[in-house]
Protein backbone atom coordinates (compact mmCIF):
# COMPACT_ATOMS: atom_id res chain seq x y z
CA UNK A 1 0.00 0.00 0.00
CA UNK A 2 1.50 3.30 -1.02
CA UNK A 3 -0.65 5.81 0.83
CA UNK A 4 2.22 6.33 3.30
CA UNK A 5 3.93 8.38 0.57
CA UNK A 6 1.15 10.95 0.87
CA UNK A 7 0.48 13.37 3.71
CA UNK A 8 -3.02 13.64 5.20
CA UNK A 9 -3.41 16.99 3.45
CA UNK A 10 -2.46 15.54 0.07
CA UNK A 11 -4.89 12.65 0.46
CA UNK A 12 -7.65 15.09 1.41
CA UNK A 13 -6.88 17.23 -1.63
CA UNK A 14 -7.01 14.25 -3.99
CA UNK A 15 -10.18 13.04 -2.28
CA UNK A 16 -11.80 16.43 -2.78
CA UNK A 17 -10.66 16.61 -6.40
CA UNK A 18 -11.82 13.17 -7.55
CA UNK A 19 -14.03 11.31 -5.11
CA UNK A 20 -17.78 11.76 -4.79
CA UNK A 21 -18.94 10.30 -1.45
CA UNK A 22 -22.26 8.73 -0.43
CA UNK A 23 -24.63 10.84 1.69
CA UNK A 24 -22.35 13.89 1.66
CA UNK A 25 -22.71 17.61 1.07
CA UNK A 26 -19.73 17.96 -1.24
CA UNK A 27 -19.43 21.70 -0.86
CA UNK A 28 -19.26 21.34 2.91
CA UNK A 29 -16.85 18.42 2.73
CA UNK A 30 -14.48 20.25 0.43
CA UNK A 31 -14.36 23.12 2.91
CA UNK A 32 -13.83 20.92 5.97
CA UNK A 33 -11.70 18.13 4.43
CA UNK A 34 -12.49 14.45 4.78
CA UNK A 35 -11.44 12.23 7.67
CA UNK A 36 -9.18 9.56 6.20
CA UNK A 37 -9.11 6.25 8.06
CA UNK A 38 -5.96 4.44 7.02
CA UNK A 39 -5.81 1.22 9.04
CA UNK A 40 -7.52 -0.59 11.87
CA UNK A 41 -7.04 -3.30 14.45
CA UNK A 42 -9.42 -5.04 16.87
CA UNK A 43 -11.95 -2.41 18.03
CA UNK A 44 -9.82 0.57 16.93
CA UNK A 45 -9.52 2.56 13.71
CA UNK A 46 -6.55 4.85 12.94
CA UNK A 47 -6.52 7.91 10.72
CA UNK A 48 -3.66 8.66 8.37
CA UNK A 49 -1.97 10.71 11.13
CA UNK A 50 -2.02 7.63 13.37
CA UNK A 51 -4.73 8.93 15.75
CA UNK A 52 -6.46 6.00 17.49
CA UNK A 53 -10.28 6.06 17.60
CA UNK A 54 -12.58 3.50 19.25
CA UNK A 55 -15.03 2.50 16.54
CA UNK A 56 -18.53 2.68 18.02
CA UNK A 57 -20.15 2.01 14.63
CA UNK A 58 -18.38 -1.20 13.50
CA UNK A 59 -17.51 0.62 10.27
CA UNK A 60 -21.11 1.09 9.17
CA UNK A 61 -22.95 -1.50 11.26
CA UNK A 62 -20.88 -4.30 9.79
CA UNK A 63 -17.44 -5.16 11.22
CA UNK A 64 -18.86 -7.53 13.84
CA UNK A 65 -15.68 -9.58 14.38
CA UNK A 66 -13.53 -6.44 14.59
CA UNK A 67 -10.58 -5.41 12.44
CA UNK A 68 -7.31 -7.15 11.59
CA UNK A 69 -8.56 -10.72 11.25
CA UNK A 70 -5.83 -12.52 9.30
CA UNK A 71 -8.07 -15.57 8.90
CA UNK A 72 -10.48 -13.57 6.73
CA UNK A 73 -7.67 -12.21 4.57
CA UNK A 74 -6.28 -15.75 4.23
CA UNK A 75 -9.69 -17.13 3.24
CA UNK A 76 -10.00 -14.48 0.50
CA UNK A 77 -6.45 -15.10 -0.72
CA UNK A 78 -6.89 -18.88 -0.89
CA UNK A 79 -10.20 -18.54 -2.76
CA UNK A 80 -8.77 -16.00 -5.22
CA UNK A 81 -6.00 -18.43 -6.09
CA UNK A 82 -8.37 -21.40 -6.39
CA UNK A 83 -11.20 -19.65 -8.28
CA UNK A 84 -11.45 -15.85 -8.17
CA UNK A 85 -14.80 -15.69 -9.95
CA UNK A 86 -17.36 -17.66 -11.77
CA UNK A 87 -21.02 -16.77 -12.26
CA UNK A 88 -24.06 -18.51 -10.83
CA UNK A 89 -26.29 -17.84 -13.86
CA UNK A 90 -27.42 -20.44 -16.41
CA UNK A 91 -27.46 -23.45 -14.07
CA UNK A 92 -23.83 -22.91 -12.91
CA UNK A 93 -22.60 -22.78 -9.35
CA UNK A 94 -19.34 -22.67 -7.41
CA UNK A 95 -18.60 -24.41 -4.11
CA UNK A 96 -18.49 -21.52 -1.60
CA UNK A 97 -21.98 -20.02 -2.21
CA UNK A 98 -23.40 -23.54 -2.05
CA UNK A 99 -21.80 -24.24 1.32
CA UNK A 100 -22.69 -20.78 2.59
CA UNK A 101 -26.36 -21.29 1.63
CA UNK A 102 -26.36 -24.50 3.66
CA UNK A 103 -24.82 -22.74 6.65
CA UNK A 104 -27.19 -19.75 6.46
CA UNK A 105 -30.27 -21.91 6.35
CA UNK A 106 -29.00 -23.81 9.41
CA UNK A 107 -28.67 -20.54 11.34
CA UNK A 108 -31.94 -19.00 10.08
CA UNK A 109 -35.43 -19.74 11.43
CA UNK A 110 -36.61 -23.27 10.47
CA UNK A 111 -38.98 -22.22 7.70
CA UNK A 112 -36.17 -20.46 5.78
CA UNK A 113 -34.32 -22.78 3.43
CA UNK A 114 -33.30 -20.78 0.34
CA UNK A 115 -30.79 -17.99 -0.31
CA UNK A 116 -30.47 -15.42 -3.13
CA UNK A 117 -27.16 -13.53 -3.18
CA UNK A 118 -26.20 -9.96 -4.09
CA UNK A 119 -23.43 -7.59 -3.13
CA UNK A 120 -25.28 -5.05 -0.98
CA UNK A 121 -28.31 -4.59 1.23
CA UNK A 122 -29.90 -2.34 -1.39
CA UNK A 123 -29.58 -5.03 -4.04
CA UNK A 124 -31.02 -7.62 -1.69
CA UNK A 125 -34.06 -5.43 -1.02
CA UNK A 126 -34.49 -4.94 -4.77
CA UNK A 127 -34.51 -8.71 -5.06
CA UNK A 128 -37.00 -9.01 -2.20
CA UNK A 129 -39.37 -6.53 -3.84
CA UNK A 130 -39.10 -8.26 -7.21
CA UNK A 131 -39.57 -11.64 -5.59
CA UNK A 132 -42.71 -10.89 -3.57
CA UNK A 133 -44.41 -9.28 -6.56
CA UNK A 134 -43.33 -12.22 -8.74
CA UNK A 135 -44.72 -14.60 -6.10
CA UNK A 136 -48.19 -13.06 -6.24
CA UNK A 137 -48.08 -12.99 -10.05
CA UNK A 138 -47.23 -16.72 -10.05
CA UNK A 139 -50.14 -17.25 -7.65
CA UNK A 140 -52.42 -15.63 -10.21
CA UNK A 141 -52.81 -12.35 -8.28
CA UNK A 142 -50.62 -9.81 -10.09
CA UNK A 143 -52.76 -6.96 -8.73
CA UNK A 144 -51.69 -7.90 -5.17
CA UNK A 145 -48.56 -5.79 -5.54
CA UNK A 146 -48.74 -2.96 -3.00
CA UNK A 147 -46.05 -2.77 -0.28
CA UNK A 148 -46.55 -1.23 3.14
CA UNK A 149 -43.46 0.26 4.75
CA UNK A 150 -42.86 2.84 7.47
CA UNK A 151 -41.94 6.50 7.72
CA UNK A 152 -38.22 7.03 8.40
CA UNK A 153 -37.41 3.45 7.36
CA UNK A 154 -34.09 2.85 5.61
CA UNK A 155 -33.97 0.08 3.04
CA UNK A 156 -31.06 1.22 0.87
CA UNK A 157 -30.19 3.75 -1.75
CA UNK A 158 -31.11 2.26 -5.11
CA UNK A 159 -34.39 3.55 -6.51
CA UNK A 160 -36.23 0.52 -5.12
CA UNK A 161 -34.41 0.77 -1.79
CA UNK A 162 -35.13 4.47 -1.39
CA UNK A 163 -38.76 3.96 -2.48
CA UNK A 164 -39.23 1.21 0.09
CA UNK A 165 -37.55 3.46 2.65
CA UNK A 166 -39.44 6.27 4.29
CA UNK A 167 -36.78 8.98 4.41
CA UNK A 168 -38.38 12.17 3.20
CA UNK A 169 -35.14 13.76 1.99
CA UNK A 170 -34.43 10.72 -0.15
CA UNK A 171 -37.93 10.68 -1.63
CA UNK A 172 -37.58 14.37 -2.48
CA UNK A 173 -34.60 13.52 -4.68
CA UNK A 174 -36.14 10.45 -6.33
CA UNK A 175 -38.20 12.38 -8.89
CA UNK A 176 -40.53 9.43 -9.16
CA UNK A 177 -40.52 6.60 -6.63
CA UNK A 178 -41.41 3.00 -7.44
CA UNK A 179 -45.23 3.04 -7.43
CA UNK A 180 -47.55 1.29 -4.97
CA UNK A 181 -45.48 1.69 -1.83
CA UNK A 182 -47.11 3.38 1.16
CA UNK A 183 -45.59 4.40 4.50
CA UNK A 184 -47.25 4.14 7.91
CA UNK A 185 -46.23 5.31 11.39
CA UNK A 186 -43.10 3.91 12.99
CA UNK A 187 -43.04 2.22 16.41
CA UNK A 188 -41.11 5.04 18.10
CA UNK A 189 -42.52 5.38 21.60
CA UNK A 190 -40.21 8.20 22.74
CA UNK A 191 -41.87 10.67 20.37
CA UNK A 192 -45.12 9.04 19.35
CA UNK A 193 -46.64 7.38 22.42
CA UNK A 194 -49.58 9.16 24.05
CA UNK A 195 -49.51 10.44 27.64
CA UNK A 196 -50.13 7.48 29.95
CA UNK A 197 -49.96 4.91 27.13
CA UNK A 198 -48.00 1.79 28.09
CA UNK A 199 -45.20 0.52 25.88
CA UNK A 200 -47.27 -2.59 25.20
CA UNK A 201 -50.32 -0.60 24.09
CA UNK A 202 -48.22 1.72 21.98
CA UNK A 203 -46.75 -1.32 20.18
CA UNK A 204 -50.27 -2.57 19.39
CA UNK A 205 -51.36 0.87 18.19
CA UNK A 206 -48.34 1.16 15.89
CA UNK A 207 -49.12 -2.31 14.50
CA UNK A 208 -52.74 -1.27 13.96
CA UNK A 209 -51.45 1.35 11.49
CA UNK A 210 -50.38 -1.59 9.30
CA UNK A 211 -53.87 -3.09 9.49
CA UNK A 212 -55.45 0.27 8.66
CA UNK A 213 -53.24 0.58 5.55
CA UNK A 214 -54.18 -2.95 4.44
CA UNK A 215 -57.88 -2.21 4.88
CA UNK A 216 -57.59 1.12 3.07
CA UNK A 217 -55.97 -0.48 0.02
CA UNK A 218 -57.95 -3.73 0.22
CA UNK A 219 -56.16 -6.92 1.25
CA UNK A 220 -56.37 -8.25 -2.32
CA UNK A 221 -54.09 -5.36 -3.38
CA UNK A 222 -51.40 -5.69 -0.70
CA UNK A 223 -48.40 -7.93 -1.40
CA UNK A 224 -46.30 -7.42 1.72
CA UNK A 225 -45.25 -5.39 4.69
CA UNK A 226 -41.54 -4.54 5.01
CA UNK A 227 -39.72 -3.36 8.12
CA UNK A 228 -36.39 -3.28 9.90
CA UNK A 229 -36.83 -5.21 13.18
CA UNK A 230 -35.11 -2.25 14.86
CA UNK A 231 -35.05 0.88 12.71
CA UNK A 232 -31.31 1.54 12.40
CA UNK A 233 -30.35 4.52 10.27
CA UNK A 234 -33.59 6.20 11.36
CA UNK A 235 -32.20 6.32 14.93
CA UNK A 236 -32.09 2.83 16.55
CA UNK A 237 -35.82 2.86 17.19
CA UNK A 238 -36.57 -0.27 19.18
CA UNK A 239 -40.21 -1.35 19.00
CA UNK A 240 -42.10 -2.59 22.06
CA UNK A 241 -42.10 -6.41 22.27
CA UNK A 242 -45.83 -6.36 21.47
CA UNK A 243 -45.25 -4.82 18.01
CA UNK A 244 -43.79 -7.55 15.79
CA UNK A 245 -45.99 -10.47 16.86
CA UNK A 246 -49.03 -8.25 16.28
CA UNK A 247 -47.76 -7.14 12.85
CA UNK A 248 -47.25 -10.81 11.99
CA UNK A 249 -50.77 -11.69 13.20
CA UNK A 250 -52.22 -8.92 11.03
CA UNK A 251 -50.19 -9.98 7.98
CA UNK A 252 -51.39 -13.57 8.36
CA UNK A 253 -55.00 -12.49 8.86
CA UNK A 254 -55.02 -10.63 5.52
CA UNK A 255 -52.63 -13.00 3.68
CA UNK A 256 -49.96 -10.33 3.34
CA UNK A 257 -46.30 -11.43 3.18
CA UNK A 258 -43.88 -10.27 5.85
CA UNK A 259 -40.50 -8.95 4.69
CA UNK A 260 -37.90 -8.32 7.39
CA UNK A 261 -34.90 -6.14 6.57
CA UNK A 262 -32.10 -7.46 8.79
CA UNK A 263 -29.24 -5.73 6.97
CA UNK A 264 -28.17 -4.25 10.31
CA UNK A 265 -29.64 -6.68 12.82
CA UNK A 266 -28.58 -9.91 11.10
CA UNK A 267 -25.64 -11.95 12.44
CA UNK A 268 -25.76 -11.36 16.15
CA UNK A 269 -26.39 -7.67 16.71
CA UNK A 270 -29.48 -8.17 18.89
CA UNK A 271 -28.10 -11.22 20.73
CA UNK A 272 -29.55 -13.87 18.38
CA UNK A 273 -28.32 -14.74 14.90
CA UNK A 274 -31.35 -12.89 13.52
CA UNK A 275 -33.69 -10.37 15.14
CA UNK A 276 -36.59 -12.49 13.81
CA UNK A 277 -35.55 -14.88 16.59
CA UNK A 278 -35.27 -12.04 19.13
CA UNK A 279 -38.82 -10.88 18.36
CA UNK A 280 -40.24 -14.40 17.80
CA UNK A 281 -41.52 -13.96 14.24
CA UNK A 282 -41.33 -15.97 11.01
CA UNK A 283 -40.93 -13.59 8.08
CA UNK A 284 -41.28 -14.71 4.46
CA UNK A 285 -38.07 -12.93 3.43
CA UNK A 286 -35.09 -11.80 5.51
CA UNK A 287 -32.70 -9.33 3.90
CA UNK A 288 -29.11 -9.63 5.19
CA UNK A 289 -25.74 -8.14 4.25
CA UNK A 290 -23.08 -6.17 6.17
CA UNK A 291 -22.02 -8.44 9.09
CA UNK A 292 -22.42 -11.54 6.92
CA UNK A 293 -18.75 -10.95 6.02
CA UNK A 294 -18.10 -8.46 8.84
CA UNK A 295 -17.70 -6.00 5.96
CA UNK A 296 -14.46 -7.65 4.77
CA UNK A 297 -16.14 -8.32 1.40
CA UNK A 298 -19.33 -6.91 -0.14
CA UNK A 299 -22.01 -9.59 0.07
CA UNK A 300 -25.73 -9.80 0.72
CA UNK A 301 -28.02 -12.77 1.16
CA UNK A 302 -31.78 -12.62 0.85
CA UNK A 303 -33.10 -15.50 2.94
CA UNK A 304 -36.31 -16.81 1.44
CA UNK A 305 -39.00 -18.66 3.37
CA UNK A 306 -40.56 -21.94 2.25
CA UNK A 307 -43.86 -20.39 1.14
CA UNK A 308 -42.31 -18.19 -1.56
CA UNK A 309 -39.65 -20.76 -2.49
CA UNK A 310 -42.23 -23.52 -2.99
CA UNK A 311 -44.24 -21.40 -5.46
CA UNK A 312 -41.11 -20.31 -7.31
CA UNK A 313 -40.01 -23.91 -7.77
CA UNK A 314 -43.41 -25.55 -8.33
CA UNK A 315 -44.80 -22.99 -10.80
CA UNK A 316 -41.44 -22.70 -12.59
CA UNK A 317 -40.65 -20.19 -15.34
CA UNK A 318 -37.58 -18.02 -15.33
CA UNK A 319 -37.18 -15.32 -12.65
CA UNK A 320 -35.57 -12.62 -14.81
CA UNK A 321 -33.37 -11.17 -12.13
CA UNK A 322 -29.76 -11.46 -10.93
CA UNK A 323 -26.40 -9.81 -10.47
CA UNK A 324 -23.00 -10.63 -11.98
CA UNK A 325 -21.49 -10.96 -8.53
CA UNK A 326 -24.34 -12.99 -7.01
CA UNK A 327 -22.68 -15.72 -4.96
CA UNK A 328 -19.20 -14.32 -5.54
CA UNK A 329 -16.84 -17.14 -4.54
CA UNK A 330 -14.38 -14.90 -2.67
CA UNK A 331 -17.06 -13.02 -0.73
CA UNK A 332 -18.76 -16.32 0.17
CA UNK A 333 -15.45 -17.84 1.33
CA UNK A 334 -14.95 -14.84 3.61
CA UNK A 335 -18.53 -15.13 4.90
CA UNK A 336 -18.04 -18.82 5.76
CA UNK A 337 -14.88 -18.01 7.70
CA UNK A 338 -16.54 -15.02 9.39
CA UNK A 339 -19.44 -17.17 10.62
CA UNK A 340 -16.94 -19.80 11.78
CA UNK A 341 -15.13 -17.15 13.86
CA UNK A 342 -18.41 -15.88 15.33
CA UNK A 343 -19.40 -19.40 16.35
CA UNK A 344 -15.96 -20.37 17.66
CA UNK A 345 -15.75 -17.24 19.82
CA UNK A 346 -19.39 -17.44 20.91
CA UNK A 347 -19.93 -13.79 19.94
CA UNK A 348 -23.71 -14.02 19.61
CA UNK A 349 -24.15 -15.68 23.01
CA UNK A 350 -21.78 -13.13 24.50
CA UNK A 351 -23.97 -10.27 23.28
CA UNK A 352 -27.08 -11.98 24.62
CA UNK A 353 -25.78 -12.99 28.04
CA UNK A 354 -22.98 -10.59 28.88
CA UNK A 355 -22.07 -7.54 26.81
CA UNK A 356 -25.63 -6.69 25.70
CA UNK A 357 -27.04 -6.44 29.24
CA UNK A 358 -23.85 -4.72 30.44
CA UNK A 359 -24.07 -2.18 27.59
CA UNK A 360 -27.71 -1.42 28.49
CA UNK A 361 -26.85 -0.89 32.15
CA UNK A 362 -23.76 1.21 31.41
CA UNK A 363 -25.68 3.48 29.03
CA UNK A 364 -28.47 3.94 31.59
CA UNK A 365 -26.23 4.56 34.55
CA UNK A 366 -23.45 6.59 32.98
CA UNK A 367 -25.08 8.46 30.09
CA UNK A 368 -28.81 8.44 30.77
CA UNK A 369 -28.62 10.92 33.64
CA UNK A 370 -26.78 13.63 31.70
CA UNK A 371 -28.61 16.95 31.33
CA UNK A 372 -28.44 16.75 27.53
CA UNK A 373 -29.88 13.24 27.36
CA UNK A 374 -33.62 12.62 27.10
CA UNK A 375 -33.45 8.85 26.77
CA UNK A 376 -30.96 6.05 26.22
CA UNK A 377 -32.12 2.72 24.81
CA UNK A 378 -30.42 -0.38 23.50
CA UNK A 379 -30.97 -3.93 22.37
CA UNK A 380 -28.01 -6.30 22.16
CA UNK A 381 -25.12 -4.17 20.99
CA UNK A 382 -27.03 -1.38 19.29
CA UNK A 383 -27.96 1.73 21.18
CA UNK A 384 -29.23 5.28 20.94
CA UNK A 385 -28.84 8.46 22.97
CA UNK A 386 -31.53 11.13 22.48
CA UNK A 387 -30.15 14.67 22.73
CA UNK A 388 -32.63 17.16 24.20
CA UNK A 389 -32.67 20.70 25.48
CA UNK A 390 -35.19 19.81 28.20
CA UNK A 391 -35.43 16.32 29.66
CA UNK A 392 -38.94 16.79 31.04
CA UNK A 393 -40.61 18.25 27.95
CA UNK A 394 -38.36 16.46 25.41
CA UNK A 395 -37.83 19.83 23.70
CA UNK A 396 -34.98 19.66 21.14
CA UNK A 397 -32.26 22.16 20.35
CA UNK A 398 -32.50 24.32 17.24
CA UNK A 399 -31.45 24.04 14.51
CA UNK A 400 -32.51 20.38 14.51
CA UNK A 401 -29.58 17.99 14.77
CA UNK A 402 -27.00 20.68 15.51
CA UNK A 403 -26.28 19.61 19.10
CA UNK A 404 -25.97 15.95 18.18
CA UNK A 405 -23.33 16.93 15.62
CA UNK A 406 -21.55 18.97 18.30
CA UNK A 407 -21.52 15.96 20.64
CA UNK A 408 -20.35 13.71 17.79
CA UNK A 409 -17.45 16.02 16.95
CA UNK A 410 -16.36 16.18 20.58
CA UNK A 411 -16.64 12.39 20.82
CA UNK A 412 -14.40 11.88 17.80
CA UNK A 413 -11.88 14.33 19.27
CA UNK A 414 -12.02 12.19 22.46
CA UNK A 415 -11.21 9.08 20.37
CA UNK A 416 -14.77 7.79 20.10
CA UNK A 417 -16.50 7.27 16.74
CA UNK A 418 -20.28 7.32 16.90
CA UNK A 419 -22.94 8.63 14.59
CA UNK A 420 -25.40 11.51 14.82
CA UNK A 421 -28.68 11.14 12.96
CA UNK A 422 -31.03 14.03 13.58
CA UNK A 423 -30.99 14.52 17.35
CA UNK A 424 -30.10 10.92 18.05
CA UNK A 425 -26.59 9.56 18.70
CA UNK A 426 -26.18 5.99 17.49
CA UNK A 427 -23.90 3.19 18.63
CA UNK A 428 -23.45 -0.16 16.90
CA UNK A 429 -20.02 -1.46 17.92
CA UNK A 430 -18.18 -4.61 16.86
CA UNK A 431 -19.44 -7.64 18.77
CA UNK A 432 -15.92 -8.21 20.12
CA UNK A 433 -16.40 -5.32 22.57
CA UNK A 434 -15.85 -6.39 26.17
CA UNK A 435 -17.08 -4.83 29.41
CA UNK A 436 -13.82 -2.84 29.46
CA UNK A 437 -14.42 -1.49 25.95
CA UNK A 438 -17.95 -0.50 26.93
CA UNK A 439 -16.59 1.35 29.97
CA UNK A 440 -14.05 3.14 27.79
CA UNK A 441 -16.78 4.16 25.33
CA UNK A 442 -19.03 5.48 28.12
CA UNK A 443 -16.17 7.52 29.61
CA UNK A 444 -15.49 9.14 26.26
CA UNK A 445 -19.14 9.80 25.44
CA UNK A 446 -19.76 11.31 28.90
CA UNK A 447 -16.77 13.61 28.36
CA UNK A 448 -18.08 14.62 24.92
CA UNK A 449 -21.49 15.43 26.42
CA UNK A 450 -19.84 17.61 29.11
CA UNK A 451 -17.79 19.46 26.50
CA UNK A 452 -20.84 20.03 24.31
CA UNK A 453 -22.79 21.32 27.29
CA UNK A 454 -19.95 23.73 28.14
CA UNK A 455 -19.99 25.00 24.53
CA UNK A 456 -23.74 25.55 24.70
CA UNK A 457 -23.40 27.55 27.90
CA UNK A 458 -20.82 29.83 26.26
CA UNK A 459 -23.23 30.70 23.45
C1 LIG B 1 -31.81 -1.73 7.16
C2 LIG B 1 -30.97 -1.48 5.95
N1 LIG B 1 -31.35 -1.95 4.76
C3 LIG B 1 -30.63 -1.77 3.66
C4 LIG B 1 -29.44 -1.08 3.70
C5 LIG B 1 -28.67 -0.87 2.44
O1 LIG B 1 -27.51 -1.64 2.45
P1 LIG B 1 -26.33 -1.24 1.44
O2 LIG B 1 -25.78 0.07 1.88
O3 LIG B 1 -25.37 -2.39 1.60
O4 LIG B 1 -26.90 -1.20 0.08
C6 LIG B 1 -28.99 -0.57 4.91
C7 LIG B 1 -27.73 0.17 4.99
O5 LIG B 1 -27.35 0.70 6.03
C8 LIG B 1 -29.77 -0.76 6.07
O6 LIG B 1 -29.42 -0.24 7.25
Amino acid sequence: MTYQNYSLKQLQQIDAAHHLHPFTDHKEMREAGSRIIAHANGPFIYDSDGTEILDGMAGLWCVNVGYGRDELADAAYAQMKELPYYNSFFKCSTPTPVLLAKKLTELAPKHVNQVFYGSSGSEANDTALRLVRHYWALEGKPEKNRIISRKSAYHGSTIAGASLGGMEQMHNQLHGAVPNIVHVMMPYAYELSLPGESDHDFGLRAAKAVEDAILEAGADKVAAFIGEPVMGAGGVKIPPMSYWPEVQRICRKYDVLLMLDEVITGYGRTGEWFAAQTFGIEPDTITTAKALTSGYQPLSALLVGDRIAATLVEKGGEFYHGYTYAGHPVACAVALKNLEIMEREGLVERVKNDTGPYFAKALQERIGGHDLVGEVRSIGLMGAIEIVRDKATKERFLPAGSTAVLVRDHAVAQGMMLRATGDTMILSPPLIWTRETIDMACDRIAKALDLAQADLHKR
Side-chain angles (χ1 to χ4, degrees):
M1 182 53 86
T2 53
Y3 72 84
Q4 284 91 348
N5 299 331
Y6 294 86
S7 68
L8 171 62
K9 191 131 205 71
Q10 284 173 317
L11 287 173
Q12 286 173 325
Q13 279 165 353
I14 299 168
D15 196 34
H18 301 297
H19 184 189
L20 295 174
H21 292 232
F23 285 92
T24 293
D25 177 334
H26 287 90
K27 185 162 185 281
E28 199 180 284
M29 196 193 82
R30 274 158 178 70
E31 282 157 15
S34 50
R35 175 175 290 115
I36 297 193
I37 305 302
H39 62 109
N41 198 26
F44 296 108
I45 50 177
Y46 299 84
D47 69 18
S48 49
D49 280 344
T51 308
E52 182 178 279
I53 304 173
L54 183 61
D55 183 9
M57 280 306 298
L60 201 52
W61 324 85
C62 49
V63 188
N64 281 13
V65 298
Y67 298 94
R69 294 281 192 167
D70 288 348
E71 280 179 275
L72 296 183
D74 292 344
Y77 180 68
Q79 183 59 46
M80 278 187 196
K81 294 220 306 190
E82 177 97 17
L83 177 71
Y85 174 76
Y86 198 74
N87 71 65
S88 49
F89 286 47
F90 322 126
K91 301 189 192 122
C92 288
S93 213
T94 69
T96 56
V98 171
L99 297 179
L100 180 61
K102 175 171 179 289
K103 180 76 207 169
L104 291 175
T105 55
E106 285 162 8
L107 295 174
K110 266 205 320 285
H111 70 290
V112 172
N113 289 293
Q114 308 289 327
V115 177
F116 195 105
Y117 294 110
S119 301
S120 70
S122 303
E123 284 179 3
N125 277 333
D126 254 75
T127 301
L129 176 61
R130 294 278 311 273
L131 194 58
V132 297
R133 286 181 168 171
H134 185 54
Y135 167 84
W136 286 116
L138 286 175
E139 289 291 330
K141 299 179 179 172
E143 70 291 344
K144 198 166 160 69
N145 62 18
R146 192 163 302 206
I147 311 286
I148 299 169
S149 177
R150 290 161 320 166
K151 293 178 180 145
S152 287
Y154 188 75
H155 294 299
S157 209
T158 56
I159 290 182
S163 303
L164 287 169
M167 301 263 180
E168 215 175 282
Q169 308 91 315
M170 292 180 79
H171 274 260
N172 289 343
Q173 292 181 352
L174 273 180
H175 308 290
V178 173
N180 285 345
I181 300 174
V182 296
H183 299 86
V184 300
M185 76 180 277
M186 53 187 163
Y188 180 32
Y190 184 66
E191 285 197 345
L192 300 178
S193 65
L194 302 171
E197 190 176 35
S198 71
D199 226 35
H200 179 86
D201 288 352
F202 172 71
L204 297 183
R205 183 162 64 86
K208 174 85 169 40
V210 179
E211 183 164 28
D212 292 345
I214 295 172
L215 291 173
E216 192 183 328
D220 55 341
K221 297 282 188 303
V222 181
F225 171 76
I226 185 169
E228 301 150 83
V230 176
M231 297 176 81
V236 182
K237 291 172 172 144
I238 305 165
M241 288 309 283
S242 57
Y243 179 76
W244 277 112
E246 179 65 2
V247 168
Q248 174 168 277
R249 188 191 67 75
I250 290 165
C251 287
R252 286 185 177 162
K253 179 174 173 192
Y254 297 101
D255 202 18
V256 164
L257 297 171
L258 181 54
M259 303 160 75
L260 207 60
D261 183 346
E262 295 227 34
V263 168
I264 285 176
T265 52
Y267 311 108
R269 174 112 347 247
T270 64
E272 300 282 352
W273 281 98
F274 300 98
Q277 294 150 335
T278 304
F279 290 104
I281 52 171
E282 294 185 349
D284 295 291
T285 61
I286 304 179
T287 312
T288 75
K290 293 194 187 266
L292 171 55
T293 61
S294 281
Y296 280 63
Q297 283 283 295
L299 181 67
S300 57
L302 178 72
L303 311 182
V304 180
D306 291 341
R307 176 177 178 179
I308 294 178
T311 294
L312 198 66
V313 174
E314 278 160 24
K315 306 265 177 184
E318 186 161 342
F319 181 37
Y320 295 103
H321 176 77
Y323 312 106
T324 298
Y325 298 121
H328 195 288
V330 177
C332 291
V334 170
L336 280 165
K337 186 55 78 177
N338 176 58
L339 297 174
E340 184 189 314
I341 292 171
M342 291 187 72
E343 282 191 315
R344 193 177 67 217
E345 298 185 2
L347 291 179
V348 183
E349 294 77 18
R350 192 159 115 190
V351 172
K352 180 173 185 170
N353 300 320
D354 181 36
T355 48
Y358 188 81
F359 182 61
K361 191 161 175 283
L363 280 180
Q364 286 297 348
E365 289 177 358
R366 301 171 62 180
I367 307 293
H370 197 280
D371 289 347
L372 292 183
V373 176
E375 176 182 85
V376 292
R377 54 179 179 269
S378 70
I379 182 167
L381 278 191
M382 65 196 294
I385 303 167
E386 293 290 354
I387 303 295
V388 289
R389 187 186 175 90
D390 186 319
K391 279 168 106 71
T393 63
K394 303 182 184 174
E395 181 196 346
R396 305 284 191 173
F397 287 98
L398 291 174
S402 56
T403 304
V405 168
L406 183 66
V407 177
R408 196 264 327 273
D409 290 347
H410 277 303
V412 177
Q414 295 304 308
M416 178 73 229
M417 180 63 80
L418 75 175
R419 188 166 155 188
T421 170
D423 290 301
T424 311
M425 319 293 311
I426 294 177
L427 280 160
S428 169
L431 306 189
I432 55 163
W433 271 25
T434 59
R435 292 178 174 221
E436 290 70 34
T437 335
I438 293 169
D439 289 342
M440 183 192 291
C442 286
D443 288 346
R444 294 179 183 186
I445 295 167
K447 183 87 193 291
L449 286 163
D450 287 345
L451 291 169
Q453 192 173 22
D455 284 353
L456 291 167
H457 281 145
K458 276 187 234 147
R459 285 179 188 167

